[in-house]
Structure formats: C-alpha cells, structure tokens
Amino acid sequence: MLGEEFVVRKLAVGTHLGFIFFEFRVELAGTLLGVFAGDDANGLVFIGRKRGVEVDEGGGHFAPVAEFEGAFADAGAGDDTDGIGGAAVNLDEDDGAFAVWVEFAVRKRAHAGRADAEAVHREHRHAHTENLAGTEMAVRDLSFAQEFVELISGRGDGGCGAHAFDATPVSGPMLSEARRAMTALQWWQTGVIYQIYPRSFQDTDGDGIGDLRGITARLDYLAGLGVDAIWISPFYPSPMKDFGYDVADYTDVDPLFGTMEDFDALLAAAHARGLRVILDFVPNHSSDEHPWFVESRSSAVNVKRDWYLWRHALLSESDGTPERERLPNNWMSHFGGPAWEWDERTQEFYLHSFLKEQPDLNWRNPEVRAAMYGAMCFWLEKGVDGFRMDVLWLLIKDKEFRNNPPNPEYHGAMRDFASTLPVYNANRPETHDIVAEMRELMDSYGPTLPEHVEVKASEPTMQKLAARSHRVLIGEIYLPLAELVTYYGLVQKREAAEKTAPETPELNGANLPFNFHLILTEWKASAIAEIVRRYEQLLPPGGWPNYVLGNHDQRRLASRIGAKQARAAAMLLLTLRGTPTMYYGDELGMQDLPIAPEQVKDPAEKNEPGKGRGRDPERAPMLWVNAPNAGFTAPDATPWLPIEADWPVKNAAVQRSDPKSMLTLYRKLLALRRQHDTLHAGAIADVMAEGDVLRYRRVALPEGESTDFQVLLNLGTEVATAQCAPGTVVLTTLLDGAGARVEGEVTLESGEGLLIALD
Ligand code: GLC
Ligand code: MG
C-alpha cells in the first residue's frame, strides 16, 4: 500500500521572520520525494516544495523563501466548525501522484468584544495549534509536531499538546482529488450559486412564511437540480420592516424562520450533500431596534453614539426654519425621501440610506468594524461557506458629509433617490480598505468540505486563479463595469502572499463583486456582447468573473424579457465564463406577481407608490407541487404573498416529468456545466453579435478535456441564422435536436439557443 511506505521527517522547526516555520522531507519507499516548508503567516499555513532535493538535514536550517518553488500548495489553517485547519502538499505527476495532508487542530478563537479590528487580525494571525497531526498518510515520524506546538505555546497562548494520528493509507480517488484541489479553481469559481429568499421558499409550520426547516426539506431538490451553493437572504432576528434586511441581532435566528438548531441542522444537511451555504450579511445598517442603536440614540454622549452617523442640524441665519427641517445635507434615501431622520430626544439627525428603521452604521469607527467582524467570525466558525455582503459599495460615506451634485436628468416621475448623483455617499475610496479587511478575515478560514474541484491547471493564468479563499466574499455592488471591477481589490501585499508565489497576483477585495449587467443591459445581442467583452477586458489579472440574472430586488427574468427569451438567458448564464448566480423560481420560469395596491408588502413600494419600486412581484412563493398553495405552505394557510396563478402547470413536480420544461432545461444546463471543464473553467472567445444572434466560444483548457463549445443565442424576436464551424449539437433551449450535426448556416427560432461541441 502506498501509504505504508511514506516517511515524513522533520528537518527543522523554528521561527523565521516572526512566523512559526517548519521544514520536513517526505520519502516514498526510501526515495526522497521532496522537501517542504510551511509557516503560519497570516493564520494561513502554506507549504511549498523546495527546489531540488539537496538540503541541509542538520536541522535549524531555514531556507530563504526563494529556494522554494513558486507553486506552493496552500490551505487555510483557519478554525472552521470542527476546529481543524489544514495544509496540503501535492506533488507533480512525474514525482508519482500523491498528496500529504497535515492537519492542525486549532483552538476555537474567541470572537466577542474585540477592542478593535486590529485585535481580530492579530488573533487570527496567532491562531494557535493544539495538535499537529498527519492524517491520510502513514506517518512514521511526526516528532516535529511536538516541537512545533511547543514553539507556538511558548508564544504565550499555551495549553497545547501533540499527537500523530493513526496512519490511514492514501487511496486512489482521494489522491487525485487532493492533487487537483491544490492547483485548481475553488468551488465558488466552478460552482453555481442559487439564491433563496427564505420567506418564500418553503413553509413548514403553516404560518404562510418560509422557514429554515423548509430549506432543509428542499435540499434534495437543490442537489438534484445541480447547483453548488445556496445563498440565503437574511434570517436574523428582525422587526421585518425590510423583511430581514433590518437586522436586530447579527448572530441569531429570527423565530419566524426557526432556531439556531434549525440553522445548524440546515448547514450540516447541506454540507452532507456537498452544497455550500452562503449567508446574507447586512453591514451597512442595522435595525433601529438593534441594541446598538437603542443605546446610540439614548443620549448624545452614549458610548455607542459614534456607532451610527449622527449630525447636527445645519446652522442657519435664524430664518425661522426649525432645526428638524435643516437637514445636514441633500443625501436621499433609496426608499424615498431624505436620508436623514430627526431624533427629538437628542436633537440630532441620523443617517439612513434605506428606511428610517435602518440606521446606517459608522464604518469609520473601529469598534463597529470589530463588532461586525466578530459577527462574521461567529458564522464562519460554524462553517458557513461565505457571505453575500449587502450594499457593499455604500459602506463608507464622505467624512465631510458634502452635498451630492444634483442629477441634471432628474424629473418628477423618477424616484426621489435619482434627484442627486450619489457622489459622496456611495463608492467612496475608503470602502476598499473595509473590503480588504473582510477578505483577510475570511481568508483566514479553511475549507468546510473536502475540496473537490475538477479542473487541472498548470497554465499560468489558471494558477493565478488558484485562489486561497475557501470562503467566498461576494459583494452586492450596483456600479458601472469599470468601477465594479475595482472591488476585486489590489494585489495583496501581505508577506505570505508574496512568499507563496510572487508572480501570481492575488487580489485583496471581494472574490465576486456581483455583476448585475445582464439584468441592467438592454436584451439585445449587440449590447450583451459588448458587456461581456468589456467585462472580460476590465477584469484585473486574478479576478474571476460572475453573472447574475435575477434577485429579490429585480423584476423576474421571465417577465423582464419574456418566457421565450428566458430560455436563451438560462443558456447564456450557464455557459458564460464565470460564476453564475440564479434566483429561486427562475428555473421554473416564474413570473412577476401582479400585486394590487392593498396587497403591497414591500416598503419600497409603500414609500414611493407607482414608481415601479415594488419588489413583491419577484418574491412570490416557490411553486413545488400540484396542490393548493403549490406545496409552499399548508393547503389551508394564507401565504404571505399570493401564489402565482400558473402554479398548476409551472410547479416543480409537473416540470420535473416534462422533458421539455424550463426546469429540465436548467437541469441539463447545470449538468453540462458541471461535466465539462471547458464550460466551468475554460476561456471565452469571439464574443459577438451576428444580427440578433449572440455568439461566443468556450475554449478548452490546455490540460482539461479538449472539447471547444460554440454557443449561439437568438435574442431577437424573429427567426435568425448564424454561421457555425462543424460540430455536434449538445443541447438546444427547445430541448430538441441534440446530437444533430451542424456546419455552416444554422437557423434559430426567436429565443432559441444552441450549445454545440465543436469537432
Ligand atoms: C440590498 C438588498 C435589498 C435591501 C437593501 C437594504 O439592496 O438586496 O433587498 O432592501 O439592500 O438592506
Ligand atoms: Mg413558516
């Protein structure tokens, strides 16, 4: 057995440049395979193979980093749910395929009450080990583990012990998975994200409102659909003024949605199916019922006063205007009216970019940052796979609270917010510092599931993409492309990154700044082609693309562009290069609900009626089965929003057994995307409009499968033709014609799309 012939020997353990550092050699059947080094810089462990194999085995020798090969394997040593961090080593094929996985049991970090954000980072950097043990290999000599641990405990955080695990021989499939994982893309790059609006997904207690148990009950549907991750809109305790985007406690579950046990069960059940769980985090504002704000507004000298954005009334030349009308500046709320609310008791205004029940937090205050990072740690330690950060581009406001310039194109039919240009209360340069802090924190956490990535990649560009983020940081950002891509951040300057692979740019911003341009752009082949091309051009090296087609704030896809085109859109989303995010129900072709004025629930519509702001239409209950209330809630219950009238023909059960349904199309697309390296990882080329036909090629990876794909999508209203190189139809959006040969001119119905495997 391969594993039984492994020997791992310590070469050295010590400190180097202030980091704990260790070096060891691995032998297989008496042959030296490599010499590795690792350290705990930034709370991450990196391990790299030393160039050549001639080393000083005398111990105490710490080679300069330059002596190690660039392609370091690395893995977070963060403390996830099981308290185990890890580091992995993989060797090239020509060394004989094998992997070494060294695990560190990391003591749980305390996360509450950090004095400042710095302390949080210090704590992460010094995440100390209790045990160092080798697993998944036969370890003959791990005595260095003891020393490693003693060294760390010597730094003052003590209480450590060490032991070697029982040797477990390495098996074939595990080996190849581990090897791939180290050189390949992360799950959030190859995978597909599915957004769940929990109020509307599945109710289990008959109150007409979806809940966490409902999501758990539907995980098999999601796994069967073929998505990789779910993002769940907020379920934290909340007065529900903005349906959960007004958070009253960042580390708990609202009883409406269930309990923390329900959440833990959901997370475990999702992970058991290989599904990742991404939470919606709302950093810009809390609820006005959050204890922080209750304190903050209790007096102008309260210690939490500065946690929110309080301003005096503008001074006036005693023109008689009462103070409460002398707003600090002209900033407007996204939900109508000015963004300032007068507080009678303390005679000041506070800022609310959304509802007055959603006061904006002061992200310049280090205590606020630390408290928020603490809340993030709470969930990360439970093992959540990432966050979708609500309104990330709005976090920081101008320090001087300058007036926004008026919008010259504003007219009365537009919503209030459009009356000025949000120069001073959006997309401020300092926002990037916060994003980088969030990223650093998240990157300090290790994987939650064994890595399973299908792409091999030794090509330089692919190596660039072998990000170290195991947890994904997604930003909700509505900005033009050129500004959007700045949210990928800058090349990381931190030491570990440089040491790891100096030639590999590693960015320090959001892993996925949400790209909403497929929603915002006119549905026209030339316009979409232009967006995709520009986006690809603008992406910084190391930045991974992503596309979103719908969410809980936007009209339903099938209503926006029509049912026919929604099929083309599905093929577009799932064959473009980059991470797709789907919105629940779009896979059924759900449409906007008609909402009568007296049915309106959304505060955005209530505050500015008739301006098209209402988001209830796209939040209708999911359609599950052919039964009253479509199986969303008990047959005799009243769902919180009406059930879409088409439920008898549109529900998932009916569509599941229809070989031509929208659901079948999504399932096939998802399966193909998963199956083909080219589709989830390959390059994109020749993006262009040929009349109404949007066309592009997906190009095989140098080391993956060799198939190139041609995508042709008729985004027009008429039948159209396009030219195609010889190939075989893999899928059509009409779910007919697969297997047909094509060459030369191809005819497409309106809304029809073809996925063609080129010869
Ligand atoms: C984001 C959410 C939206 C919410 C707003 C305020 O845009 O997607 O639903 O109302 O933030 O939190
Ligand atoms: Mg319920």
Side-chain angles (χ1 to χ4, degrees):
M1 200 63 203
L2 184 60
E4 281 159 28
E5 298 159 40
F6 267 121
V7 180
V8 180
R9 288 190 200 289
K10 175 199 77 178
L11 294 180
V13 179
T15 57
H16 178 61
L17 300 174
F19 300 121
I20 304 284
F21 191 81
F22 58 94
E23 237 179 76
F24 59 93
R25 53 178 280 150
V26 179
E27 295 169 13
L28 178 63
T31 308
L32 180 60
L33 288 178
V35 173
F36 301 86
D39 77 7
D40 73 338
N42 285 323
L44 292 162
V45 168
F46 83 87
I47 296 189
R49 184 161 59 128
K50 195 158 183 167
R51 283 185 208 286
V53 290
E54 303 305 319
V55 287
D56 168 11
E57 291 195 31
H61 164 77
F62 294 104
V65 169
E67 284 184 46
F68 290 85
E69 273 177 9
F72 284 84
D74 73 76
D79 45 354
D80 44 39
T81 35
D82 59 5
I84 292 184
V89 177
N90 73 307
L91 292 183
D92 302 334
E93 311 261 358
D94 52 359
D95 290 317
F98 79 99
V100 178
W101 180 260
V102 184
E103 289 203 330
F104 302 80
V106 183
R107 204 192 49 208
K108 283 251 179 248
R109 284 188 289 257
H111 56 77
R114 291 277 161 258
D116 58 27
E118 250 307 293
V120 175
H121 292 294
R122 266 201 304 279
E123 183 73 15
H124 276 256
R125 176 158 308 168
H126 293 233
H128 297 309
T129 45
E130 281 175 342
N131 300 303
L132 170 63
T135 66
E136 300 182 358
M137 62 177 181
V139 176
R140 295 278 167 77
D141 176 3
L142 263 182
S143 59
F144 71 97
Q146 183 65 44
E147 280 180 65
F148 184 63
V149 163
E150 277 167 10
L151 245 165
I152 293 171
S153 42
R155 289 170 134 202
D157 276 47
C160 302
H163 69 275
F165 277 37
D166 281 346
T168 314
V170 183
S171 64
M174 201 277 304
L175 274 177
S176 54
E177 298 240 312
R179 190 181 70 244
R180 285 176 188 154
M182 300 322 300
T183 51
L185 302 175
Q186 292 285 5
W187 63 269
W188 50 266
Q189 299 177 296
T190 57
V192 176
I193 301 171
Y194 182 99
Q195 182 191 356
I196 292 175
Y197 195 67
R199 290 183 78 84
S200 303
F201 201 57
Q202 176 68 65
D203 178 29
T204 58
D205 60 3
D207 65 355
I209 295 173
D211 38 50
L212 295 182
R213 285 178 183 225
I215 298 174
T216 309
R218 294 299 184 182
L219 289 174
D220 285 332
Y221 167 82
L222 296 166
L225 178 61
V227 298
D228 299 84
I230 53 174
W231 145 36
I232 312 173
S233 282
F235 51 76
Y236 314 103
S238 164
M240 302 291 163
K241 289 289 186 315
D242 189 20
F243 299 113
Y245 284 94
D246 47 329
V247 178
D249 181 348
Y250 286 94
T251 55
D252 209 344
V253 174
D254 195 284
L256 194 64
F257 294 118
T259 63
M260 192 59 86
E261 288 69 44
D262 292 338
F263 175 75
D264 293 339
L266 163 56
L267 183 62
H271 281 174
R273 288 162 177 80
L275 287 169
R276 311 284 175 154
V277 177
I278 298 166
L279 300 197
D280 205 317
F281 201 82
V282 191
N284 181 69
H285 44 269
S286 72
S287 160
D288 62 343
E289 291 182 28
H290 194 295
W292 300 338
F293 188 70
V294 173
E295 261 200 68
S296 185
R297 81 185 309 176
S298 67
S299 113
V301 294
N302 184 274
V303 286
K304 292 219 168 47
R305 186 64 166 183
D306 186 53
W307 282 40
Y308 292 84
L309 294 162
W310 291 96
R311 302 293 287 170
H312 292 301
L314 272 196
L315 295 176
S316 83
E317 301 296 323
S318 65
D319 65 355
T321 314
E323 280 199 308
R324 54 170 306 134
E325 287 167 28
R326 301 205 305 261
L327 305 181
N329 64 25
N330 67 355
W331 296 357
M332 302 302 284
S333 159
H334 287 264
F335 289 157
W340 295 101
E341 180 71 10
W342 178 248
D343 182 61
E344 270 309 329
R345 174 158 25 169
T346 57
Q347 298 283 297
E348 280 183 336
F349 291 95
Y350 66 84
L351 183 76
H352 59 93
S353 296
F354 294 87
L355 298 175
K356 67 177 174 19
E357 293 87 359
Q358 293 170 297
D360 282 41
L361 282 149
N362 176 11
W363 271 86
R364 292 179 192 273
N365 182 322
E367 291 177 19
V368 167
R369 281 146 91 141
M372 289 307 228
Y373 299 153
M376 288 167 63
C377 290
F378 174 87
W379 296 105
L380 290 166
E381 283 175 13
K382 278 190 173 285
V384 306
D385 297 276
F387 294 111
R388 172 267 188 189
M389 289 287 169
D390 194 64
V391 298
L392 192 58
W393 86 113
L394 302 183
L395 282 193
I396 291 263
K397 285 84 190 174
D398 180 43
K399 210 168 184 163
E400 294 158 41
F401 293 86
R402 280 170 281 188
N403 274 318
N404 280 330
N407 176 4
E409 282 159 30
Y410 179 71
H411 55 82
M414 290 163 86
R415 60 202 184 97
D416 293 355
F417 187 79
S419 60
T420 67
L421 300 172
V423 172
Y424 292 112
N425 53 351
N427 194 27
R428 301 301 302 164
E430 303 96 316
T431 315
H432 296 285
D433 302 338
I434 310 277
V435 181
E437 285 181 3
M438 289 176 168
R439 168 72 182 270
E440 193 183 346
L441 177 86
M442 293 182 64
D443 276 1
S444 74
Y445 284 84
T448 62
L449 287 176
E451 301 292 312
H452 62 96
V453 180
E454 301 91 19
V455 188
K456 283 188 263 168
S458 63
E459 189 224 339
T461 47
M462 297 303 289
Q463 297 241 351
K464 282 177 199 161
L465 303 171
R468 67 171 64 225
S469 304
H470 297 280
R471 317 289 178 101
V472 68
L473 175 58
I474 303 174
E476 185 205 18
I477 300 163
Y478 283 93
L479 285 174
L481 285 176
E483 280 139 49
L484 177 66
V485 297
T486 65
Y487 282 81
Y488 283 102
L490 303 170
V491 174
Q492 302 222 26
K493 286 285 185 291
R494 67 187 189 205
E495 206 173 340
E498 279 164 9
K499 283 199 294 189
T500 303
E503 77 287 359
T504 300
E506 199 191 324
L507 302 168
N508 71 352
N511 300 116
L512 302 175
F514 260 158
N515 171 3
F516 298 117
H517 289 272
L518 292 185
I519 298 177
L520 306 172
T521 307
E522 189 191 356
W523 195 251
K524 227 179 126 195
S526 54
I528 304 273
E530 176 63 10
I531 281 291
V532 174
R533 276 198 306 261
R534 282 205 63 220
Y535 184 50
E536 287 281 346
Q537 271 164 15
L538 286 166
L539 280 173
W544 182 254
N546 80 89
Y547 294 91
V548 183
L549 261 187
N551 64 36
H552 64 297
D553 296 326
Q554 303 293 338
R555 295 191 60 201
R556 278 277 177 194
L557 176 67
S559 298
R560 218 167 56 225
I561 61 175
K564 266 190 192 171
Q565 291 293 337
R567 288 196 173 227
M571 185 173 275
L572 173 69
L573 178 72
L574 294 172
T575 60
L576 279 172
R577 185 180 90 96
T579 308
T581 300
M582 303 168 44
Y583 184 49
Y584 86 93
D586 277 355
E587 76 274 27
L588 306 179
M590 283 178 68
Q591 282 174 310
D592 282 343
L593 264 188
I595 299 282
E598 66 280 4
Q599 289 175 317
V600 171
K601 295 276 195 305
D602 182 17
E605 175 68 19
K606 287 185 177 170
N607 286 359
E608 295 189 275
K611 292 198 174 174
R613 293 285 292 137
R615 300 167 297 175
D616 297 324
E618 60 264 24
R619 296 176 179 181
M622 177 72 175
L623 309 174
W624 292 109
V625 292
N626 215 339
N629 286 328
F632 162 68
T633 183
D636 53 349
T638 308
W640 81 285
L641 281 174
I643 307 286
E644 188 179 338
D646 274 356
W647 64 266
V649 291
K650 235 182 223 178
N651 68 77
V654 164
Q655 291 204 35
R656 182 77 174 80
S657 52
D658 173 357
K660 301 224 165 161
S661 68
M662 183 72 150
L663 181 58
T664 301
L665 173 62
Y666 265 95
R667 289 168 57 95
K668 293 207 168 179
L669 283 166
L670 284 159
L672 286 165
R673 186 177 176 94
R674 181 183 297 261
Q675 186 188 334
H676 293 287
D677 288 1
T678 306
L679 291 179
H680 61 242
I684 190 164
D686 303 336
V687 185
M688 62 183 103
E690 187 179 343
D692 282 339
V693 176
L694 174 65
R695 57 182 303 147
Y696 47 90
R697 259 183 327 114
R698 296 301 309 278
V699 184
L701 296 165
E703 291 192 24
E705 60 173 349
S706 55
T707 318
D708 282 5
F709 290 92
Q710 176 71 56
V711 181
L712 301 173
L713 299 162
N714 180 1
L715 306 192
T717 51
E718 309 292 327
V719 176
T721 57
Q723 294 300 316
C724 187
T728 307
V729 175
V730 178
L731 188 71
T732 76
T733 53
L734 300 173
L735 296 166
D736 57 7
R741 294 282 308 160
V742 287
E743 179 163 9
E745 193 171 278
V746 182
T747 305
L748 298 113
E749 303 288 317
S750 164
E752 186 176 13
L754 297 184
L755 178 63
I756 295 156
L758 295 172
D759 292 349

